[in-house]
Amino acid sequence: MTPYERLMAEAIPTGRFGDSDRQTRRTPAPPPSPEQQAVRRAAMVEAQSGWRLPGEASLRKRARSALKSAERAAARARIREESRPRHLHIVPDPNDTQAA
C-alpha cells in the first residue's frame, strides 16, 4: 500500500447533519496523540516527496510566451511611431520679434 493510499484509507468523520435526536450522536473523537500525529506526518511527507505541480512546465512556457508577446507589442509600437508622417513641422515665424 502506497503512502497516499494509507492516507486516503483513514476514516474521515462526517457527522450527522440534520439529526435532532441527541441520543444517537456520538461523543467527539479524542485528539490524536503526538505519536499518531508523527506517524501521519511521516506518511504525508513520504507521499509528497518528489512531487511537483503538473503544470509547472506549462507555467514557464506561458511566462516565456507573455514576455515574447510584450516584446512584439513594443516593437510594433516602435514601428508605428517611426512610420508616422513627418511632413507637419512647426516653422518659426520670421516676423516674430519676441522669439525666445
Side-chain angles (χ1 to χ4, degrees), residues 69-91:
S69 177
E71 289 172 353
R72 283 193 299 266
R76 282 194 302 268
R78 236 184 350 266
I79 290 170
R80 268 196 314 271
E81 183 64 31
E82 292 170 357
S83 66
R84 287 191 180 147
R86 303 284 181 226
H87 64 279
L88 299 176
H89 297 286
I90 299 177
V91 180

Side-chain angles (χ1 to χ4, degrees), residues 39-51:
V39 169
R40 288 180 182 164
R41 175 82 175 157
M44 185 169 44
V45 167
E46 185 181 345
Q48 291 178 344
S49 65
W51 184 83

